[in-house]
Structure formats: C-alpha cells, structure tokens
C-alpha cells in the first residue's frame, strides 16, 4: 500500500520466496548427490543457480557438468527438509560442521526415488513433476568466494502427464505449483490473481475461466 509506513531492518537472510529445486549431480565415485537449492531462475532455455562454494554440488559441477534440476512441489516439503541438514561433502567443510552432517545416500535419507535420465548421467527424482536434464556451461565466482553463479543449459524437459495441457507442449499453471522457500518456511502457490499478456495457456488450461 502506498501509504504504508516502512522501517529499516537488517534481516539475517533475504530468502523472499523462490522455488525449491533438487539438484542431482555425480560424485567422484559415480554415485549421485542430491541437494535442495532455492536460488534458481530461468531465462529462455537456461537456468541460473546460486551455489555455496563449499557444497558437494558445486564441486561436482566443476568436475562433471551434467545435472538434473528437479523442481519440487508443495507435497514434497518434508522430503526436502530431511535433506536440509545433510551434505555430500566428506569431510564436512569446517564452516558447515556445526549444522550439517555427511550423508552419502541422500535419496534414501530423503525417501525419494532415483529414475534414469536420458541425456545426462545423474538420475532424475521420480517424485518431481518437472525434471530438467541440464549441463553447466559457466561457473562464475561471486560473493568474495562464498558462492558460484552457475549457468545451465536445459537439454530436455520431463513433465508429468497430469501437469501438461493435453495436446500441447505447455505446462498447465493451474495444475502445477512449485514449492516456495519463503524466509525459511515452505509454501505452495496461492490462487492465481491474473495472467501475463503472452500466456499460452489462458483459456485452454484446466483452471482457466
Ligand atoms: C530449502 C533449501 C534451500 C536452499 N537453497 C540453497 C541455495 O540456493 N544455494 C545453496 O548453495 N544452498 C542452498 N541450501 C543449502 C544446501 O542444501 C546445503 O548447503 C547442502 O549441504 C548442499 O548439499 P551438498 O553439499 O551435498 O551439495 C538450501 C537448503 C534448503 C533446505
């Protein structure tokens, strides 16, 4: 509201509500790592990720660029949260030791199911309705060495039948909802308030009026 009063605050985190993705990457021994990430956004057929430098995921991508960006939906929040205190990095980096513990089998720990990918090595997460097979094309250091911006080229998109508008290539926004990480709380999407002028699904999607 225009007449609202604002005050200056210094929040410890700035997670203002972004979708949660589960990244699968390949470890040195060929096994799969699985990690929840909320710094992810798409531009065309590329997705840019923000990854902590000390994560196993960042190290894996620097050595082997294949990954799957598995987009989580709200019913998976507890599976995501089971992964929250875990890292595939061994030994656990000093900066993470107070909070994280090493876990080599993240799929089992999360109660999620690996499914073979078609173009890349790491598996997809079967429970995720949207799975993007991808390859990291550029890793750019940022945050005084704290994180990497990773630009990924999406090679193939797998979408569960139930979220695709029949007979089209479009995801039905009425049937798909991302899991949103909102200041360390998990949310689904609230009901639609409108659509963009370039929408390809207005009038044809299940929820369209
Ligand atoms: C919901 C959620 C969102 C997260 N978002 C990010 C993120 O955007 N970038 C990041 O580097 N770590 C993020 N993390 C923390 C990583 O999951 C954590 O560092 C984890 O240890 C990485 O696993 P890895 O070391 O096996 O790669 C997030 C964790 C949770 C639970």
């Amino acid at each position: 509201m225009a007449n609202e009063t604002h005050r200056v605050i210094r929040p410890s985190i700035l997670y203002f509500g972004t979708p949660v993705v589960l990244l699968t990457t390949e470890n040195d021994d060929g096994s799969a790592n699985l990690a929840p990430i909320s710094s992810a956004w798409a531009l065309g057929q590329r997705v840019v990720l923000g990854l902590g430098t000390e994560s196993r995921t960042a190290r894996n991508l620097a050595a082997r660029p294949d990954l799957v960006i598995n987009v989580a939906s709200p019913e998976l929040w507890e599976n995501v949260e089971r992964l929250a205190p875990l890292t595939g990095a061994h030994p656990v980096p000093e900066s993470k030791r107070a909070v994280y513990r090493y876990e080599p089998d993240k799929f089992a720990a999360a109660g999620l199911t690996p499914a073979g990918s078609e173009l890349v090595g790491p598996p997809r997460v079967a429970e995720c309705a949207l799975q993007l097979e991808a390859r990291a094309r550029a890793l750019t250091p940022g945050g005084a060495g704290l994180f990497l911006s990773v630009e990924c080229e999406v090679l193939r998109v797998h979408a569960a039948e139930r979220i695709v508008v029949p007979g089209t290539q479009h995801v039905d926004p009425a049937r798909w909802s991302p899991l949103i990480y909102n200041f360390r709380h998990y949310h689904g999407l609230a009901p639609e308030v409108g659509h963009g002028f370039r929408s390809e699904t207005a009038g044809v999607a299940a929820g369209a009026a």
Side-chain angles (χ1 to χ4, degrees), residues 146-160:
L146 278 180
F147 64 80
L148 293 170
S149 297
V150 181
E151 183 179 326
C152 305
E153 180 184 355
V154 174
L155 305 173
R156 182 160 290 179
V157 177
H158 302 264

Side-chain angles (χ1 to χ4, degrees), residues 31-160:
S31 63
N33 191 42
L34 175 65
I37 299 294
S38 57
S39 305
W41 45 272
L43 260 185
Q45 298 300 310
R46 303 246 161 170
V47 172
V48 182
L49 307 168
L51 296 181
T53 318
E54 302 223 293
S55 63
R56 178 78 256 168
T57 302
R59 289 181 194 171
N60 284 350
L61 287 176
R64 292 166 295 277
D66 283 7
L67 75 158
V68 183
I69 302 165
N70 301 276
V71 195
S73 37
E75 68 273 13
L76 295 178
W77 82 266
E78 284 168 305
N79 306 83
V80 170
E81 185 57 18
R82 274 189 235 166
L83 291 169
L86 307 179
T87 176
H90 184 69
V92 178
E94 185 64 45
S95 62
K96 295 181 88 162
R97 256 173 230 170
V99 178
Y100 291 90
R101 64 178 192 277
Y102 170 61
E103 172 55 62
D105 190 350
K106 301 263 203 91
F107 271 98
L112 294 170
T113 317
S117 294
E118 293 175 359
L119 302 176
V120 300
R124 298 175 285 150
V125 176
E127 287 81 358
C128 291
L130 260 183
Q131 308 149 341
L132 316 179
E133 294 191 41
R135 188 158 294 143
R137 293 296 189 194
L139 286 78
T140 310
L146 278 180
F147 64 80
L148 293 170
S149 297
V150 181
E151 183 179 326
C152 305
E153 180 184 355
V154 174
L155 305 173
R156 182 160 290 179
V157 177
H158 302 264

